[in-house]
Amino acid sequence: MNKEEGMLAISKLVFELTITSTTTADLDILLQRLFSILDSYYDLQLEARGAILLLNPRGRYFQVAQFGMDPAWTNKMRWDAPAFTRPHISAHCLLQDSLPSLELPTPAHMLLLPLHIEGKGLGYTVLFVPENYLMSETHCEFMEDLARALSSLVNRALTNEILRIRKLELEESRADVIRSLGVASEYRDNETGLHIMRMTNFAQAIAKSLGIPDAQRELLYIAAPMHDVGKIGIADAVLLKPGKLTPEEFTIMKTHTDIGVTILEGKDELIAAARDIAGCHHERWDGNGYPNGLVAEQIPLLARICAVADVFDALTSSRPYKTAWTVEDAYNWVISESGKHFDPAVVAAFDAAMPDILRIRELYRDDIIDPKQVLTLPPIRRRENAWIPWDEKLSIGIDVIDEHHRYLFDLINDLYEVVANKRGAREVARLIKSLDAYAKIHFRAEEQMMNHYAYTRIDRQLSQHHAFEEKIAEFYEELHDNPFVAQFDALAYLREWLIHHILVEDIQLVELTRK
């Protein structure tokens, strides 16, 4: 290869990848295109495999993309060449060998192409070469030019992913405002924030059982907390009355649906969904509901779903003016109202979703966890080939806490699937926020139990919970700088931390079952 051929190859590579990167930020595709071009230059003597390793803020390298080799999850390659022990990225290409190991006794010979953006080192593109590989001056210049071109392309991919995260945050900010209104209305009604979480997740389980599209389910998840927003406009004398309402008071109470519709005026798709739910979740399938006496499919689908979810949680929850129904009685009543109060299809979906609904009740409970409570939940289909499968050896002997832990495992496995299937930084950010939100619910419930039963090591638990929350917030912020690294970094931390915390700290909570 001469200099002219090298420049032509670089130009061709940049052109092809510039076109590709307008539709994807997948670094695996970048490597695939790279090797499809390099393959035609036999005198480079490169092996048909390579990887991209990027540096996290703590000086650790992560394999974030690969070609012709296993991904980070299954790759036995140990990235222990001298360059990977230093946080400083070389200014020039390097030839280095990996150290032999039991898994790979023969050292790998590597050509490391440094990746820099505006003077900041990101990591290396790793190309594998034969033993005793030597580069001519022309080849060396070509590789230096290639390193600069790849730096630019990785930067473009990073920028695209960061923009997607920013877009998600704008959407989340709007959704958070809507949720806050919903929470405010529930607190006025002696409800708790956990009622909203239960009801919203019940609705999600029913919607999933119904098979409604993901986009509509996402609307439901954001809009469902607004179902009773109109109660903000109901006088305390009526809203907070501990006893049964008089007919006149009930007439006033019913106006919360109309108030909700007024509050949620607007043409936005999300606002429209929230308005439908707020205005129609008290309508009945048989036409005997309020405020408009809508019949059957005249009632918006999301409102029909929320009607079942809201009623079931209200029946099974204690309030100052009533005792909770048993789950069995509430379930039987909902089933009996199919075709009368509720849409038969939604009731059938509710029935099918009961294993998930019963689990949600335990995950978002109002009362203090009883360490001696025995859960008899119906079995839930466990995912096959989970990245971190639940093992009964991780059980700490407190059923409710074990169920919380299983759910945290589910969320981490969801995050792994998003990263492994390259669904993008937007989905990674969304799942990290979800995991952070539920971890806080779990920690507060655990801490409430420990405080109630005078657990002697509560201060150590509090410290570790706080450190975990800070670490997740740190990963979320790092997504804005380098989402490719942050997602791998977060997964590695989550798997190690959760298993260690359960086996070392939470296992000691079993002493509460003896009190």
Side-chain angles (χ1 to χ4, degrees):
M1 175 191 293
N2 58 38
K3 180 68 173 177
E4 185 178 343
E5 289 174 330
M7 291 305 297
L8 182 61
I10 293 290
S11 298
K12 181 180 179 183
L13 175 68
V14 172
F15 176 73
E16 287 194 11
L17 289 176
T18 299
I19 294 173
T20 301
S21 63
T22 60
T23 57
T24 181
D26 188 343
L27 296 184
D28 286 351
I29 292 178
L30 186 152
L31 286 177
Q32 180 183 342
R33 294 283 191 270
L34 170 65
F35 277 92
S36 70
I37 294 173
L38 296 180
D39 185 56
S40 61
Y41 294 91
Y42 302 106
D43 57 338
L44 289 176
Q45 299 180 3
L46 300 174
E47 296 182 19
R49 62 183 180 131
I52 294 176
L53 271 70
L54 300 183
L55 185 67
N56 80 354
R58 289 160 291 282
R60 181 179 175 186
Y61 289 83
F62 286 86
Q63 177 187 329
V64 301
Q66 55 282 318
F67 174 82
M69 59 191 303
D70 290 337
W73 327 111
T74 55
N75 189 7
K76 295 181 180 179
M77 179 75 189
R78 293 173 61 180
W79 302 106
D80 52 11
F84 300 131
T85 64
R86 300 189 293 266
H88 173 71
I89 308 297
S90 171
H92 301 287
C93 297
L94 301 172
L95 280 169
Q96 294 196 345
D97 294 345
S98 66
L99 299 177
S101 65
L102 290 175
E103 296 89 352
L104 297 171
T106 304
H109 312 290
M110 299 174 289
L111 173 60
L112 309 183
L113 279 59
L115 301 171
H116 292 271
I117 296 177
E118 297 177 352
K120 177 184 177 182
L122 288 180
Y124 293 96
T125 299
V126 180
L127 307 179
F128 290 87
V129 296
E131 188 176 4
N132 300 320
Y133 178 78
L134 294 174
M135 288 191 295
S136 68
E137 182 179 349
T138 301
H139 286 175
C140 186
E141 291 177 1
F142 171 80
M143 290 301 175
E144 296 284 354
D145 289 340
L146 179 58
R148 285 188 285 272
L150 289 172
S151 296
S152 176
L153 293 166
V154 169
N155 184 34
R156 176 187 284 255
L158 275 172
T159 301
N160 287 342
E161 287 295 85
I162 291 169
L163 287 174
R164 291 185 178 100
I165 293 173
R166 297 294 186 192
K167 182 179 179 183
L168 171 68
E169 288 182 333
L170 288 174
E171 295 171 1
E172 285 287 323
S173 295
R174 182 180 61 162
D176 286 344
V177 171
I178 291 176
R179 291 192 192 101
S180 296
L181 272 174
V183 170
S185 67
E186 295 297 334
Y187 275 114
R188 283 208 64 229
D189 192 23
N190 286 320
E191 298 280 13
T192 69
L194 292 176
H195 161 68
I196 286 181
M197 294 177 185
R198 285 193 302 270
M199 178 267 182
T200 299
N201 282 282
F202 289 168
Q204 280 287 295
I206 294 168
K208 185 176 181 180
S209 182
L210 268 175
I212 71 172
D214 289 348
Q216 201 169 10
R217 278 170 48 202
E218 186 173 352
L219 275 179
L220 173 64
Y221 187 77
I222 299 171
M226 296 295 289
H227 64 288
D228 276 339
V229 68
K231 287 182 178 179
I232 289 175
I234 303 299
D236 286 352
V238 174
L239 186 67
L240 304 180
K241 184 176 179 179
K244 184 178 180 180
L245 298 178
T246 66
E248 293 78 14
E249 289 168 336
F250 185 57
T251 297
I252 294 171
M253 178 65 82
K254 289 195 294 185
T255 63
H256 81 274
T257 55
D258 292 324
I259 295 171
V261 169
T262 301
I263 291 173
L264 296 167
E265 184 64 35
K267 296 180 181 180
D268 177 89
E269 183 181 29
L270 176 57
I271 295 297
R275 183 170 63 247
D276 283 345
I277 292 169
C280 301
H281 71 287
H282 284 294
E283 299 286 1
R284 291 174 50 111
W285 185 257
D286 60 13
N288 291 320
Y290 67 87
N292 298 313
L294 301 179
V295 178
E297 293 185 359
Q298 292 177 348
I299 307 167
L301 175 59
L302 300 189
R304 283 180 263 152
I305 293 170
C306 287
V308 173
D310 187 38
V311 168
F312 181 74
D313 189 65
L315 292 176
T316 54
S317 300
S318 297
R319 295 291 177 264
Y321 50 86
K322 78 170 188 71
T323 57
W325 288 25
T326 66
V327 168
E328 183 179 6
D329 285 347
Y331 166 81
N332 289 334
W333 186 83
V334 170
I335 297 298
S336 72
E337 289 295 308
S338 177
K340 294 180 285 186
H341 194 131
F342 304 119
D343 177 352
V346 173
V347 172
F350 163 81
D351 185 25
M354 275 308 291
D356 290 312
I357 288 171
L358 294 177
R359 186 190 193 197
I360 290 164
R361 289 190 73 249
E362 297 302 331
L363 297 175
Y364 299 93
R365 54 192 296 158
D366 289 311
D367 56 338
I368 296 172
I369 295 171
D370 178 357
K372 299 178 182 178
Q373 181 184 357
V374 177
L375 292 183
T376 55
L377 298 176
I380 291 178
R381 192 178 129 204
R382 302 297 178 186
R383 73 178 74 210
E384 297 180 4
N385 303 317
W387 184 53
I388 47 169
W390 174 260
D391 188 327
E392 288 306 321
K393 294 177 183 177
L394 294 168
S395 173
I396 68 167
I398 299 176
D399 283 7
V400 177
I401 298 296
D402 285 342
E403 200 57 43
H404 285 205
H405 289 162
R406 287 189 189 95
Y407 186 59
L408 286 169
F409 270 57
D410 284 347
L411 288 172
I412 294 171
N413 281 315
D414 286 344
L415 179 59
Y416 163 76
E417 289 182 4
V418 165
V419 175
N421 293 318
K422 296 177 284 190
R423 294 182 196 157
R426 173 190 168 92
E427 280 301 296
V428 170
R430 186 182 63 79
L431 270 171
I432 287 179
K433 285 195 73 173
S434 296
L435 196 149
D436 177 55
Y438 186 73
K440 288 174 179 174
I441 290 169
H442 163 63
F443 289 157
R444 301 299 88 79
E446 204 172 56
E447 291 159 8
Q448 187 182 40
M449 176 191 71
M450 289 187 282
N451 187 59
H452 181 78
Y453 291 97
Y455 183 59
T456 56
R457 286 180 285 272
I458 187 172
D459 287 343
R460 181 174 173 83
Q461 286 271 7
L462 287 169
S463 175
Q464 293 199 7
H465 292 173
H466 181 65
F468 177 89
E469 291 171 25
E470 285 190 335
K471 193 69 176 177
I472 297 303
E474 187 178 309
F475 286 135
Y476 190 80
E477 287 305 311
E478 287 174 12
L479 279 173
H480 297 75
D481 295 324
N482 193 330
F484 295 129
V485 172
Q487 57 191 356
F488 285 88
D489 202 355
L491 278 173
Y493 171 82
L494 288 167
R495 178 167 63 176
E496 180 180 342
W497 187 92
L498 183 56
I499 292 174
H500 179 270
H501 185 73
I502 292 172
L503 292 176
V504 176
E505 298 296 337
D506 284 351
I507 195 69
Q508 300 182 62
L509 291 170
V510 71
E511 73 177 55
L512 300 182
T513 64
R514 305 186 191 108
K515 292 190 175 184

